[in-house]
Coordinates of all heavy atoms in Angstrom, one line a residue:
M69 N 97.3 115.1 100.6 CA 96.0 114.5 100.4 C 95.5 114.1 101.8 O 96.3 113.4 102.5 CB 96.2 113.3 99.5 CG 95.0 112.4 99.4 SD 95.3 111.1 98.3 CE 97.0 110.9 98.0
S70 N 94.3 114.4 102.1 CA 93.8 114.0 103.4 C 93.0 112.7 103.3 O 92.2 112.5 102.4 CB 92.8 115.1 104.0 OG 91.7 115.2 103.1
E71 N 93.4 111.8 104.1 CA 92.8 110.4 104.2 C 91.5 110.4 104.8 O 91.3 110.9 106.0 CB 93.8 109.5 104.9 CG 93.4 108.0 104.9 CD 93.6 107.3 103.6 OE1 94.5 107.8 102.8 OE2 93.1 106.3 103.4
V72 N 90.5 110.0 104.1 CA 89.1 109.8 104.8 C 89.0 108.4 105.3 O 89.3 107.4 104.6 CB 88.0 110.0 103.7 CG1 86.7 109.7 104.3 CG2 88.1 111.4 103.1
P73 N 88.7 108.3 106.7 CA 88.6 107.0 107.2 C 87.5 106.2 106.6 O 86.4 106.8 106.3 CB 88.4 107.2 108.7 CG 88.0 108.6 108.8 CD 88.5 109.3 107.6
M74 N 87.6 104.8 106.5 CA 86.5 104.0 105.9 C 85.2 104.2 106.7 O 84.2 104.2 106.0 CB 86.9 102.6 105.9 CG 88.2 102.3 105.0 SD 87.7 102.2 103.3 CE 87.4 100.5 103.1
S75 N 85.3 104.3 107.9 CA 84.1 104.5 108.8 C 83.3 105.7 108.5 O 82.1 105.8 108.8 CB 84.5 104.4 110.2 OG 85.3 105.5 110.6
A76 N 83.9 106.7 107.8 CA 83.2 107.9 107.5 C 82.5 107.9 106.2 O 81.8 108.8 105.8 CB 84.2 109.1 107.5
L77 N 82.7 106.8 105.4 CA 82.1 106.6 104.1 C 80.8 105.7 104.2 O 80.7 104.9 105.0 CB 83.1 106.0 103.2 CG 84.4 106.7 102.9 CD1 85.4 105.8 102.1 CD2 84.1 108.0 102.2
S78 N 80.0 105.9 103.2 CA 78.8 105.1 103.1 C 79.4 103.7 102.8 O 80.5 103.5 102.2 CB 77.9 105.6 102.0 OG 78.5 105.3 100.7
P79 N 78.6 102.6 103.0 CA 79.1 101.3 102.6 C 79.5 101.1 101.1 O 80.5 100.5 100.8 CB 77.9 100.4 102.9 CG 77.2 101.1 104.0 CD 77.3 102.5 103.7
R80 N 78.8 101.8 100.2 CA 79.1 101.8 98.8 C 80.5 102.3 98.6 O 81.3 101.8 97.8 CB 78.0 102.4 98.0 CG 78.2 102.3 96.5 CD 77.1 103.1 95.8 NE 77.2 102.9 94.3 CZ 76.5 103.6 93.5 NH1 75.6 104.4 93.9 NH2 76.6 103.4 92.1
L81 N 80.6 103.6 99.1 CA 81.9 104.3 98.9 C 83.1 103.6 99.6 O 84.1 103.6 99.1 CB 81.8 105.8 99.3 CG 81.0 106.7 98.5 CD1 80.8 108.0 99.1 CD2 81.5 106.8 97.1
A82 N 82.8 103.0 100.7 CA 83.9 102.2 101.5 C 84.3 101.0 100.6 O 85.5 100.8 100.5 CB 83.3 101.8 102.8
R83 N 83.3 100.4 99.9 CA 83.7 99.2 99.1 C 84.5 99.8 97.9 O 85.5 99.1 97.5 CB 82.4 98.5 98.5 CG 82.0 97.3 99.3 CD 80.9 96.6 98.6 NE 79.8 97.4 98.0 CZ 78.7 97.9 98.7 NH1 78.6 97.6 100.0 NH2 77.8 98.6 98.1
M84 N 84.1 100.9 97.3 CA 84.8 101.4 96.2 C 86.3 101.8 96.6 O 87.2 101.6 95.8 CB 84.1 102.6 95.6 CG 82.8 102.3 94.9 SD 81.8 103.7 94.5 CE 82.9 104.6 93.4
K85 N 86.4 102.4 97.7 CA 87.7 102.8 98.3 C 88.6 101.6 98.4 O 89.8 101.6 98.0 CB 87.6 103.6 99.6 CG 88.9 104.0 100.1 CD 88.8 104.7 101.5 CE 90.1 105.1 102.1 NZ 90.8 106.2 101.5
F86 N 88.1 100.6 99.0 CA 88.9 99.3 99.2 C 89.3 98.8 97.8 O 90.5 98.4 97.6 CB 88.0 98.3 100.0 CG 88.8 97.0 100.2 CD1 89.7 96.9 101.3 CD2 88.7 96.0 99.3 CE1 90.4 95.8 101.5 CE2 89.4 94.8 99.5 CZ 90.3 94.7 100.6
R87 N 88.3 98.7 96.9 CA 88.7 98.1 95.6 C 89.6 99.0 94.8 O 90.5 98.5 94.1 CB 87.4 98.0 94.8 CG 86.5 96.8 95.4 CD 85.3 96.5 94.5 NE 85.7 96.0 93.2 CZ 85.0 96.3 92.1 NH1 83.8 96.9 92.1 NH2 85.4 95.8 90.9
A88 N 89.6 100.3 95.0 CA 90.5 101.2 94.3 C 91.9 101.1 94.8 O 92.8 101.2 94.1 CB 90.0 102.7 94.5
W89 N 92.0 100.8 96.1 CA 93.4 100.6 96.7 C 93.9 99.2 96.7 O 95.0 98.9 97.1 CB 93.4 101.1 98.1 CG 93.5 102.6 98.2 CD1 92.6 103.6 98.4 CD2 94.7 103.3 97.9 NE1 93.1 104.8 98.4 CE2 94.4 104.7 98.1 CE3 96.0 103.0 97.6 CZ2 95.4 105.7 97.9 CZ3 97.0 104.0 97.5 CH2 96.7 105.3 97.6
H90 N 93.1 98.2 96.2 CA 93.5 96.8 96.2 C 93.3 96.3 94.8 O 92.5 95.4 94.6 CB 92.8 96.0 97.2 CG 93.0 96.4 98.6 ND1 92.3 97.4 99.2 CD2 94.0 96.0 99.5 CE1 92.9 97.6 100.4 NE2 93.9 96.8 100.6
R91 N 94.0 96.8 93.7 CA 93.9 96.4 92.4 C 94.7 95.2 92.0 O 94.4 94.5 91.1 CB 94.3 97.6 91.5 CG 93.4 98.9 91.7 CD 92.0 98.7 91.4 NE 91.8 98.4 90.0 CZ 90.6 97.9 89.5 NH1 89.6 97.7 90.3 NH2 90.5 97.6 88.2
G92 N 95.8 95.0 92.6 CA 96.7 93.9 92.2 C 98.1 94.4 91.8 O 99.0 93.5 91.9
T93 N 98.3 95.6 91.4 CA 99.6 96.1 91.2 C 99.7 97.5 91.9 O 98.7 98.2 92.1 CB 99.9 96.3 89.7 OG1 99.0 97.4 89.2 CG2 99.7 95.1 88.8
R94 N 100.9 97.8 92.4 CA 101.1 99.0 93.1 C 100.8 100.2 92.3 O 100.2 101.1 92.8 CB 102.6 99.0 93.6 CG 102.8 100.3 94.4 CD 104.2 100.2 95.1 NE 104.0 99.4 96.2 CZ 105.0 98.8 96.9 NH1 106.3 99.0 96.5 NH2 104.8 98.1 97.9
E95 N 101.2 100.1 91.0 CA 100.9 101.3 90.1 C 99.4 101.6 90.0 O 98.9 102.7 90.1 CB 101.5 101.1 88.7 CG 103.0 101.0 88.7 CD 103.5 99.6 89.1 OE1 102.7 98.7 89.3 OE2 104.7 99.4 89.1
A96 N 98.6 100.5 89.8 CA 97.2 100.7 89.7 C 96.5 101.1 91.0 O 95.6 101.9 91.1 CB 96.5 99.4 89.2
D97 N 97.1 100.5 92.1 CA 96.6 100.9 93.4 C 96.7 102.5 93.6 O 95.8 103.1 94.1 CB 97.4 100.3 94.5 CG 97.1 98.8 94.6 OD1 96.2 98.2 94.0 OD2 97.8 98.1 95.4
Y98 N 97.9 103.0 93.3 CA 98.1 104.4 93.5 C 97.3 105.3 92.6 O 96.7 106.3 93.0 CB 99.6 104.8 93.3 CG 100.5 104.4 94.5 CD1 101.5 103.6 94.4 CD2 100.2 104.9 95.8 CE1 102.3 103.2 95.5 CE2 100.9 104.6 96.9 CZ 102.0 103.7 96.7 OH 102.7 103.4 97.8
M99 N 97.2 104.8 91.3 CA 96.4 105.6 90.4 C 94.9 105.6 90.8 O 94.3 106.7 90.9 CB 96.5 105.1 89.0 CG 95.9 106.0 87.9 SD 96.0 105.3 86.3 CE 94.7 104.0 86.4
M100 N 94.3 104.5 91.0 CA 92.9 104.4 91.3 C 92.6 104.9 92.7 O 91.6 105.5 93.0 CB 92.4 103.0 91.0 CG 92.6 102.4 89.7 SD 91.5 103.2 88.5 CE 90.0 102.4 88.8
G101 N 93.4 104.5 93.6 CA 93.2 104.8 95.0 C 93.3 106.3 95.3 O 92.5 106.9 96.0
C102 N 94.4 106.9 94.7 CA 94.6 108.3 94.9 C 93.5 109.1 94.2 O 93.0 110.1 94.7 CB 96.0 108.8 94.4 SG 97.3 108.2 95.4
F103 N 93.1 108.7 93.0 CA 92.0 109.3 92.3 C 90.7 109.3 93.2 O 90.1 110.3 93.4 CB 91.7 108.6 91.0 CG 90.8 109.4 90.1 CD1 91.2 110.4 89.4 CD2 89.5 109.0 90.0 CE1 90.3 111.2 88.6 CE2 88.5 109.7 89.2 CZ 89.0 110.8 88.5
F104 N 90.5 108.2 93.7 CA 89.2 108.1 94.6 C 89.4 109.1 95.7 O 88.4 109.8 96.1 CB 89.0 106.6 95.1 CG 87.8 106.5 96.1 CD1 86.6 106.4 95.6 CD2 88.1 106.6 97.4 CE1 85.5 106.3 96.5 CE2 87.0 106.6 98.3 CZ 85.7 106.4 97.8
D105 N 90.5 109.0 96.5 CA 90.7 109.8 97.7 C 90.6 111.3 97.4 O 90.0 112.0 98.2 CB 92.0 109.4 98.4 CG 92.0 108.1 99.1 OD1 90.9 107.5 99.2 OD2 93.1 107.7 99.4
C106 N 91.1 111.7 96.3 CA 91.2 113.1 96.0 C 89.8 113.6 95.5 O 89.5 114.8 95.8 CB 92.2 113.4 94.9 SG 93.9 113.4 95.4
F107 N 89.0 112.8 94.8 CA 87.9 113.4 94.2 C 86.5 112.9 94.5 O 85.5 113.5 94.2 CB 88.1 113.2 92.6 CG 89.3 113.9 92.1 CD1 90.4 113.1 91.6 CD2 89.5 115.2 92.2 CE1 91.5 113.7 91.2 CE2 90.7 115.9 91.7 CZ 91.7 115.1 91.2
H108 N 86.4 111.8 95.3 CA 85.1 111.2 95.5 C 84.1 112.1 96.2 O 82.9 112.0 96.0 CB 85.2 109.8 96.3 CG 85.5 110.0 97.7 ND1 86.7 110.3 98.3 CD2 84.6 110.1 98.8 CE1 86.6 110.4 99.6 NE2 85.3 110.3 99.9
A109 N 84.6 113.0 97.1 CA 83.7 113.8 97.8 C 82.9 114.8 97.0 O 81.8 115.1 97.3 CB 84.5 114.6 98.9
G110 N 83.4 115.1 95.8 CA 82.6 116.0 94.9 C 81.8 115.3 93.8 O 81.2 115.9 93.0
W111 N 81.7 113.9 93.9 CA 81.0 113.2 92.9 C 79.5 113.1 93.1 O 79.1 113.0 94.3 CB 81.6 111.8 92.8 CG 82.9 111.6 92.3 CD1 83.7 112.5 91.6 CD2 83.8 110.4 92.4 NE1 84.9 112.0 91.3 CE2 85.0 110.7 91.8 CE3 83.6 109.1 93.0 CZ2 86.0 109.8 91.7 CZ3 84.6 108.3 92.9 CH2 85.8 108.6 92.2
N112 N 78.8 113.2 92.1 CA 77.3 112.9 92.1 C 77.1 111.5 91.8 O 78.0 110.7 91.7 CB 76.6 113.9 91.1 CG 77.0 113.6 89.7 OD1 77.4 112.5 89.3 ND2 77.0 114.7 88.9
D113 N 75.8 111.1 91.8 CA 75.5 109.6 91.7 C 76.0 109.1 90.3 O 76.4 107.9 90.3 CB 74.0 109.4 91.7 CG 73.4 109.6 93.1 OD1 74.2 109.5 94.1 OD2 72.2 109.8 93.2
T114 N 76.0 109.9 89.3 CA 76.5 109.5 87.9 C 78.0 109.2 88.0 O 78.5 108.3 87.5 CB 76.1 110.5 86.9 OG1 74.7 110.7 86.9 CG2 76.6 110.1 85.5
D115 N 78.7 110.1 88.7 CA 80.2 110.0 88.8 C 80.5 108.7 89.6 O 81.4 108.0 89.3 CB 80.7 111.2 89.5 CG 80.5 112.5 88.7 OD1 80.2 112.5 87.5 OD2 80.6 113.6 89.4
V116 N 79.8 108.5 90.7 CA 80.0 107.3 91.5 C 79.8 106.0 90.7 O 80.6 105.1 90.7 CB 79.1 107.3 92.7 CG1 79.2 106.0 93.5 CG2 79.5 108.5 93.7
Q117 N 78.8 106.0 89.9 CA 78.5 104.9 89.0 C 79.6 104.7 88.0 O 80.0 103.6 87.7 CB 77.1 105.0 88.3 CG 76.7 103.7 87.6 CD 76.6 102.5 88.5 OE1 75.8 102.5 89.4 NE2 77.4 101.5 88.2
W118 N 80.1 105.8 87.4 CA 81.2 105.8 86.5 C 82.4 105.1 87.1 O 83.0 104.2 86.5 CB 81.5 107.2 86.0 CG 82.7 107.3 85.0 CD1 82.6 107.3 83.7 CD2 84.0 107.5 85.4 NE1 83.9 107.4 83.1 CE2 84.7 107.6 84.2 CE3 84.7 107.7 86.6 CZ2 86.2 107.7 84.1 CZ3 86.2 107.8 86.5 CH2 86.8 107.8 85.3
F119 N 82.8 105.5 88.3 CA 84.0 105.0 88.9 C 83.7 103.5 89.3 O 84.6 102.7 89.2 CB 84.3 105.8 90.2 CG 85.7 105.5 90.7 CD1 86.9 105.9 89.9 CD2 85.9 104.8 91.8 CE1 88.1 105.6 90.4 CE2 87.1 104.4 92.2 CZ 88.3 104.9 91.6
E120 N 82.6 103.2 89.8 CA 82.2 101.8 90.1 C 82.4 101.0 88.8 O 82.9 99.9 89.0 CB 80.9 101.8 90.7 CG 80.5 100.6 91.6 CD 79.3 100.8 92.3 OE1 78.3 101.3 91.8 OE2 79.3 100.5 93.6
D121 N 81.9 101.4 87.7 CA 82.0 100.7 86.5 C 83.5 100.6 86.1 O 83.9 99.5 85.6 CB 81.2 101.3 85.3 CG 79.7 101.3 85.6 OD1 79.3 100.4 86.4 OD2 79.0 102.0 84.9
L122 N 84.2 101.6 86.3 CA 85.6 101.6 85.9 C 86.4 100.6 86.7 O 87.3 99.9 86.2 CB 86.3 103.0 86.1 CG 87.7 103.2 85.6 CD1 87.7 103.3 84.0 CD2 88.2 104.6 86.0
L123 N 86.0 100.4 88.0 CA 86.7 99.4 88.8 C 86.5 98.0 88.3 O 87.2 97.1 88.6 CB 86.1 99.5 90.3 CG 86.6 100.7 91.1 CD1 85.7 100.8 92.4 CD2 88.0 100.7 91.3
E124 N 85.5 97.7 87.5 CA 85.2 96.5 86.9 C 86.2 96.1 85.7 O 86.3 95.0 85.3 CB 83.8 96.3 86.4 CG 82.8 96.4 87.5 CD 82.9 95.3 88.5 OE1 83.2 94.1 88.1 OE2 82.7 95.5 89.7
E125 N 86.9 97.1 85.2 CA 87.7 97.0 84.0 C 89.1 96.5 84.5 O 89.5 96.6 85.6 CB 87.9 98.3 83.3 CG 86.6 98.9 82.8 CD 85.9 98.0 81.7 OE1 86.7 97.5 80.8 OE2 84.7 97.8 81.7
D126 N 89.8 95.9 83.5 CA 91.2 95.4 83.8 C 92.1 96.6 84.0 O 92.0 97.6 83.3 CB 91.7 94.6 82.6 CG 91.0 93.3 82.5 OD1 90.5 92.7 83.5 OD2 90.9 92.7 81.3
D127 N 93.0 96.4 85.0 CA 94.0 97.5 85.2 C 94.8 97.9 84.0 O 95.0 99.1 83.9 CB 95.0 97.0 86.3 CG 94.4 96.8 87.7 OD1 93.2 97.3 87.9 OD2 95.0 96.2 88.5
V128 N 95.2 96.9 83.2 CA 96.1 97.4 82.1 C 95.2 98.3 81.1 O 95.8 99.2 80.5 CB 96.6 96.1 81.3 CG1 97.6 95.4 82.1 CG2 95.5 95.2 80.8
D129 N 94.0 98.1 81.0 CA 93.1 98.9 80.2 C 93.0 100.3 80.8 O 93.2 101.3 80.1 CB 91.8 98.3 79.9 CG 91.9 97.0 79.1 OD1 92.8 96.9 78.2 OD2 91.0 96.1 79.3
V130 N 92.6 100.3 82.0 CA 92.4 101.6 82.7 C 93.7 102.4 82.7 O 93.7 103.6 82.4 CB 91.9 101.4 84.2 CG1 91.8 102.8 84.9 CG2 90.6 100.7 84.2
M131 N 94.8 101.8 83.0 CA 96.1 102.5 83.0 C 96.4 103.0 81.5 O 96.9 104.1 81.4 CB 97.2 101.6 83.5 CG 97.0 101.4 85.0 SD 98.4 100.8 85.9 CE 99.5 102.1 85.8
A132 N 96.1 102.2 80.5 CA 96.4 102.7 79.1 C 95.5 103.9 78.8 O 96.0 104.8 78.1 CB 96.1 101.5 78.2
W133 N 94.2 103.9 79.3 CA 93.4 105.0 79.0 C 93.9 106.3 79.7 O 93.9 107.3 79.2 CB 92.0 104.7 79.4 CG 91.4 103.5 78.8 CD1 91.7 103.0 77.6 CD2 90.4 102.7 79.3 NE1 91.0 101.9 77.3 CE2 90.1 101.6 78.4 CE3 89.7 102.6 80.5 CZ2 89.2 100.6 78.6 CZ3 88.7 101.6 80.7 CH2 88.5 100.6 79.7
A134 N 94.3 106.1 81.0 CA 94.8 107.2 81.8 C 96.1 107.7 81.2 O 96.4 109.0 81.2 CB 95.0 106.8 83.2
L135 N 97.0 106.9 80.7 CA 98.3 107.3 80.2 C 98.1 107.7 78.7 O 99.1 108.1 78.1 CB 99.3 106.2 80.3 CG 99.7 105.8 81.7 CD1 100.5 104.5 81.7 CD2 100.4 106.9 82.4
Q136 N 96.9 107.5 78.1 CA 96.6 107.9 76.8 C 97.4 107.2 75.7 O 97.7 107.7 74.7 CB 96.7 109.5 76.6 CG 95.9 110.2 77.6 CD 96.0 111.7 77.4 OE1 95.8 112.2 76.3 NE2 96.4 112.4 78.5
T137 N 97.7 105.9 76.0 CA 98.3 105.1 75.1 C 97.3 104.2 74.3 O 97.7 103.6 73.3 CB 99.3 104.1 75.8 OG1 98.7 103.3 76.8 CG2 100.5 104.9 76.4
Q138 N 96.1 104.2 74.8 CA 95.0 103.5 74.0 C 93.8 104.4 74.1 O 93.6 105.2 75.0 CB 94.6 102.2 74.8 CG 95.6 101.1 74.8 CD 95.9 100.5 73.3 OE1 94.9 100.4 72.6 NE2 97.1 100.3 73.0
P139 N 92.9 104.3 73.1 CA 91.7 105.2 73.1 C 90.8 104.8 74.2 O 90.6 103.6 74.5 CB 91.1 104.9 71.7 CG 91.8 103.8 71.1 CD 93.0 103.5 71.9
V140 N 90.1 105.7 74.7 CA 89.2 105.6 75.8 C 87.8 105.1 75.3 O 87.3 105.8 74.4 CB 89.0 106.8 76.7 CG1 88.0 106.6 77.8 CG2 90.3 107.3 77.3
P141 N 87.3 104.0 75.7 CA 85.9 103.7 75.3 C 84.9 104.8 75.5 O 85.0 105.5 76.5 CB 85.6 102.4 76.1 CG 86.8 101.9 76.6 CD 87.7 103.1 76.7
E142 N 83.9 104.9 74.7 CA 83.0 106.0 74.8 C 82.3 106.1 76.1 O 82.1 107.1 76.7 CB 81.9 105.9 73.7 CG 81.0 107.1 73.6 CD 80.0 106.9 72.5 OE1 80.4 106.5 71.4 OE2 78.9 107.4 72.7
R143 N 82.0 104.9 76.7 CA 81.3 104.9 78.0 C 82.1 105.5 79.1 O 81.6 105.8 80.2 CB 80.8 103.5 78.4 CG 81.9 102.5 78.7 CD 81.4 101.1 78.9 NE 82.4 100.2 79.3 CZ 83.2 99.5 78.5 NH1 83.2 99.8 77.2 NH2 84.1 98.6 78.9
F144 N 83.5 105.5 79.0 CA 84.3 106.1 80.0 C 84.9 107.5 79.6 O 85.6 108.1 80.4 CB 85.4 105.2 80.4 CG 85.0 103.9 81.0 CD1 85.1 102.7 80.4 CD2 84.4 104.0 82.3 CE1 84.7 101.5 81.0 CE2 83.9 102.8 82.8 CZ 84.1 101.6 82.3
A145 N 84.7 107.9 78.4 CA 85.2 109.2 78.0 C 84.4 110.4 78.7 O 83.2 110.2 79.0 CB 85.1 109.3 76.5
G146 N 85.1 111.4 78.9 CA 84.4 112.6 79.5 C 85.3 113.3 80.5 O 86.4 113.0 80.6
P147 N 84.6 114.2 81.3 CA 85.5 115.0 82.2 C 86.2 114.2 83.3 O 87.3 114.6 83.7 CB 84.4 115.9 82.9 CG 83.1 115.5 82.4 CD 83.2 114.6 81.3
L148 N 85.6 113.1 83.8 CA 86.3 112.3 84.9 C 87.5 111.6 84.3 O 88.6 111.6 84.9 CB 85.3 111.3 85.5 CG 84.3 111.9 86.4 CD1 83.3 110.8 86.9 CD2 85.0 112.6 87.6
M149 N 87.4 111.0 83.1 CA 88.6 110.4 82.4 C 89.6 111.5 82.1 O 90.7 111.3 82.3 CB 88.2 109.7 81.2 CG 89.4 109.0 80.6 SD 90.3 107.8 81.6 CE 89.2 106.5 81.9
A150 N 89.2 112.6 81.7 CA 90.1 113.7 81.4 C 90.9 114.1 82.6 O 92.1 114.4 82.6 CB 89.4 114.9 80.8
R151 N 90.2 114.1 83.7 CA 90.8 114.5 85.1 C 91.8 113.4 85.4 O 92.8 113.6 85.9 CB 89.7 114.7 86.1 CG 90.3 115.1 87.5 CD 91.0 116.4 87.3 NE 91.7 116.8 88.5 CZ 93.0 116.7 88.7 NH1 93.8 116.2 87.7 NH2 93.6 117.1 89.7
M152 N 91.4 112.1 85.2 CA 92.2 111.0 85.6 C 93.5 111.0 84.8 O 94.6 110.7 85.2 CB 91.5 109.7 85.3 CG 92.4 108.4 85.7 SD 91.4 106.9 85.6 CE 90.7 106.9 87.2
Q153 N 93.4 111.5 83.5 CA 94.5 111.5 82.6 C 95.6 112.5 83.0 O 96.7 112.5 82.6 CB 94.1 111.7 81.2 CG 93.3 110.5 80.6 CD 92.7 110.8 79.3 OE1 92.3 112.0 79.0 NE2 92.5 109.8 78.5
Q154 N 95.3 113.5 83.9 CA 96.2 114.4 84.3 C 97.3 113.8 85.2 O 98.4 114.3 85.3 CB 95.6 115.6 85.0 CG 94.7 116.4 84.0 CD 94.0 117.6 84.7 OE1 94.4 118.1 85.7 NE2 92.9 118.0 84.1
L155 N 96.9 112.8 86.0 CA 97.8 112.0 86.8 C 98.5 112.8 87.9 O 99.4 112.4 88.6 CB 98.8 111.2 86.0 CG 98.3 110.2 85.2 CD1 99.4 109.7 84.2 CD2 97.7 109.1 85.9
D156 N 98.1 114.1 88.1 CA 98.8 115.0 89.2 C 98.2 114.7 90.6 O 98.8 115.2 91.5 CB 98.6 116.4 88.8 CG 97.1 116.9 88.8 OD1 96.2 116.0 88.8 OD2 96.9 118.1 88.7
Y157 N 97.3 113.8 90.7 CA 96.7 113.4 92.0 C 97.5 112.3 92.6 O 97.2 111.9 93.8 CB 95.3 113.1 91.9 CG 95.1 112.1 90.8 CD1 95.1 110.7 91.0 CD2 94.8 112.4 89.5 CE1 95.0 109.7 90.1 CE2 94.6 111.4 88.4 CZ 94.8 110.1 88.8 OH 94.7 109.2 87.8
V158 N 98.3 111.6 92.0 CA 99.0 110.4 92.4 C 100.1 110.8 93.4 O 101.0 111.6 93.0 CB 99.6 109.5 91.3 CG1 100.4 108.4 91.9 CG2 98.5 109.0 90.4
E159 N 100.0 110.3 94.6 CA 101.0 110.6 95.6 C 101.7 109.3 96.1 O 100.9 108.4 96.6 CB 100.4 111.4 96.8 CG 100.0 112.8 96.5 CD 99.6 113.5 97.8 OE1 99.9 113.1 98.9 OE2 98.9 114.5 97.6
I160 N 102.9 109.2 95.9 CA 103.6 107.9 96.2 C 104.4 108.2 97.5 O 105.3 109.0 97.5 CB 104.5 107.4 95.1 CG1 103.6 107.2 93.9 CG2 105.2 106.2 95.5 CD1 104.4 106.8 92.6
P161 N 104.1 107.6 98.6 CA 104.8 107.8 99.9 C 106.3 107.3 99.7 O 106.5 106.3 99.1 CB 104.1 107.0 100.9 CG 103.0 106.2 100.2 CD 103.0 106.6 98.7
R162 N 107.1 108.1 100.3 CA 108.6 107.7 100.3 C 109.1 107.4 101.7 O 108.7 107.9 102.6 CB 109.4 108.8 99.7 CG 108.9 109.0 98.3 CD 109.7 110.2 97.6 NE 109.0 110.5 96.4 CZ 109.4 110.0 95.2 NH1 110.3 109.1 95.0 NH2 108.7 110.4 94.1

Protein backbone atom coordinates (compact mmCIF):
# COMPACT_ATOMS: atom_id res chain seq x y z
CA MET A 1 0.00 0.00 0.00
CA SER A 2 1.46 3.37 -0.94
CA GLU A 3 1.23 6.00 1.75
CA VAL A 4 -0.12 9.37 0.60
CA PRO A 5 1.43 12.22 2.60
CA MET A 6 -1.05 14.44 4.43
CA SER A 7 0.33 17.48 2.59
CA ALA A 8 -0.82 15.98 -0.74
CA LEU A 9 -4.45 15.78 0.41
CA SER A 10 -7.12 18.46 0.50
CA PRO A 11 -7.83 19.72 4.04
CA ARG A 12 -11.06 17.69 4.13
CA LEU A 13 -9.34 14.46 3.08
CA ALA A 14 -6.42 15.13 5.43
CA ARG A 15 -8.88 15.44 8.34
CA MET A 16 -10.57 12.21 7.27
CA LYS A 17 -7.24 10.39 7.04
CA PHE A 18 -6.26 11.56 10.52
CA ARG A 19 -9.62 10.52 11.98
CA ALA A 20 -9.48 7.16 10.19
CA TRP A 21 -6.07 6.40 11.71
CA HIS A 22 -6.90 7.70 15.22
CA ARG A 23 -10.04 5.80 16.21
CA GLY A 24 -9.10 4.71 19.71
CA THR A 25 -8.35 1.04 19.15
CA ARG A 26 -5.59 -0.43 17.04
CA GLU A 27 -8.04 -2.75 15.25
CA ALA A 28 -10.31 0.12 14.22
CA ASP A 29 -7.31 2.24 13.23
CA TYR A 30 -6.10 -0.45 10.84
CA MET A 31 -9.52 -1.15 9.42
CA MET A 32 -10.56 2.46 8.86
CA GLY A 33 -7.11 3.85 8.11
CA CYS A 34 -6.15 1.17 5.60
CA PHE A 35 -9.57 1.44 3.93
CA PHE A 36 -9.07 5.18 3.51
CA ASP A 37 -5.49 4.82 2.26
CA CYS A 38 -6.39 2.12 -0.26
CA PHE A 39 -9.54 3.61 -1.73
CA HIS A 40 -9.96 7.36 -1.16
CA ALA A 41 -8.28 8.32 -4.45
CA GLY A 42 -11.15 6.76 -6.41
CA TRP A 43 -13.97 8.27 -4.37
CA ASN A 44 -16.46 10.80 -5.72
CA ASP A 45 -18.15 13.42 -3.53
CA THR A 46 -20.88 10.99 -2.45
CA ASP A 47 -18.29 8.39 -1.42
CA VAL A 48 -16.30 10.98 0.54
CA GLN A 49 -19.47 12.03 2.38
CA TRP A 50 -20.29 8.36 3.09
CA PHE A 51 -16.90 7.80 4.69
CA GLU A 52 -17.06 11.08 6.58
CA ASP A 53 -20.45 10.01 7.99
CA LEU A 54 -19.06 6.56 8.82
CA LEU A 55 -16.29 8.22 10.85
CA GLU A 56 -19.00 9.66 13.11
CA GLU A 57 -20.18 6.17 14.08
CA ASP A 58 -18.92 4.15 17.04
CA ASP A 59 -16.02 1.81 16.29
CA VAL A 60 -17.83 -1.22 17.70
CA ASP A 61 -20.72 -0.63 15.29
CA VAL A 62 -18.52 -0.06 12.23
CA MET A 63 -16.46 -3.13 13.02
CA ALA A 64 -19.59 -5.24 13.53
CA TRP A 65 -20.90 -4.11 10.13
CA ALA A 66 -17.56 -4.80 8.46
CA LEU A 67 -17.29 -8.23 10.11
CA GLN A 68 -20.95 -8.89 9.24
CA THR A 69 -21.91 -9.72 12.81
CA GLN A 70 -24.57 -6.99 12.84
CA PRO A 71 -26.86 -5.77 10.06
CA VAL A 72 -25.64 -2.68 8.22
CA PRO A 73 -27.95 0.33 8.53
CA GLU A 74 -29.52 1.28 5.21
CA ARG A 75 -27.65 4.60 5.07
CA PHE A 76 -24.31 2.73 5.04
CA ALA A 77 -25.32 -0.29 2.92
CA GLY A 78 -24.01 -0.44 -0.62
CA PRO A 79 -20.84 -0.98 -2.62
CA LEU A 80 -18.49 0.83 -0.24
CA MET A 81 -19.64 -1.22 2.75
CA ALA A 82 -19.46 -4.39 0.64
CA ARG A 83 -15.87 -3.46 -0.19
CA MET A 84 -15.11 -2.73 3.47
CA GLN A 85 -16.49 -6.14 4.43
CA GLN A 86 -13.86 -7.89 2.32
CA LEU A 87 -11.16 -6.79 4.83
CA ASP A 88 -8.40 -7.69 2.35
CA TYR A 89 -7.07 -4.11 2.43
CA VAL A 90 -5.94 -4.28 6.07
CA GLU A 91 -2.15 -4.39 6.33
CA ILE A 92 -0.66 -4.81 9.77
CA PRO A 93 3.04 -3.94 9.94
CA ARG A 94 5.23 -6.52 11.62
